[in-house]
Amino acid sequence: MVGQRYFVAPDYGSTSVEEGATMTPVRIDMPVQAGIGGTIAGRVFTPDLEAAASLPAPVWAVLAPGATEDWHYWDMRAAGVEGNWSYAEALAARGIGAVLVDTYGVGDSVYQGHGSDLSTEVLALAHHQAATQIRERLRSGELAAGVAAVDPVLVGMGHSGGGGLTVCMQGQHATYDLVVSFGLPASEFGGYEGGADEVRTLLTLNDQGYYDLALSEASMEVSFTADVPEALLKAQEGYARAIPPGLPQLMQPGVVAKAAAQIEVPVFLCFGEIDLAKNPLAEFDHFTGTKDVTVHIQAGARHCPQISPVRHQLAETVFTWIYGRSRYGAAARRGK
């Protein structure tokens, strides 16, 4: 493939989001028919209008959380913690609108059947249906109050299990114009000594068909650097959710890789310097359908880079990548 590159970003410093600033997101709900049906809940963060006007095209992102997370992962807040830890606000400050969704059947997203129904395929279909509605509502000006009608470059962005789910959505349904995935490899798992097999030992199936994850010292070391405030770690733990089975299925060999090979749009893959990918550069081998794959290793971060002291550097790097593709490529592919 051509157009691939590997880099560690320089220190861009803080984005334009003010330290400690907060926004109040607007909740929306989208009916979906995957499985026996239900709804996917989202929180809308509207972009700064002046910053949005400076972009080459309107850009909106749909942010999927990781396996044990809900939408709060992208909008972390904790009393007594200095600075702004909201990744959604960092995007909005740069002019990118954001919709933070809860995984189908998790948090405020509702599945009407038993959790055991929620395979990777069902989750991918449900989230494709929701993202399609988000695109349609943006075009019609009906996403949320105060959001003008735009024809967006729509970015699928996911962390960990949400990243793998976003890759599967794109491979199976061609949902987005751009894909940004954090932390979940299509290649061999690393981070834990036993790889994906060790992660599975932390999962316990409950009566509702979901998995509970027992956090361990090893999982915390893989996920967070030692300088993350303790209050944020406690807040993150407080938002922990049970996991639908389709997310652990992403660790099975070939599941993400098969979808990755079907993707034709630009892809940005981000891993911390310690993360779940044994070799991030091996990811290039799986995205054979696109000529534009970027693998970024975020220095100073681990598996949860948005909850790290280098979060602003990461946000600026992702923004710069999106800016270039929306200027020179993705806008021309809109119209789905």
Side-chain angles (χ1 to χ4, degrees), residues 155-182:
V155 184
M157 190 176 297
H159 173 251
S160 193
L165 180 59
T166 300
V167 168
C168 287
M169 290 169 61
Q170 190 65 30
Q172 295 168 15
H173 303 291
T175 309
Y176 297 114
D177 302 307
L178 303 172
V179 168
V180 177
S181 177
F182 299 94

Side-chain angles (χ1 to χ4, degrees), residues 71 76 88 132-133 156-157 159 169-170 177 231 307 322:
W71 67 276
M76 286 300 299
T132 299
Q133 291 179 53
M157 190 176 297
H159 173 251
M169 290 169 61
Q170 190 65 30
D177 302 307
I307 307 177
I322 292 173

Side-chain angles (χ1 to χ4, degrees), residues 223-240:
S223 297
F224 304 101
T225 55
D227 48 5
V228 175
E230 183 67 24
L232 280 176
L233 297 180
K234 290 187 178 299
Q236 173 74 354
E237 184 177 351
Y239 293 132

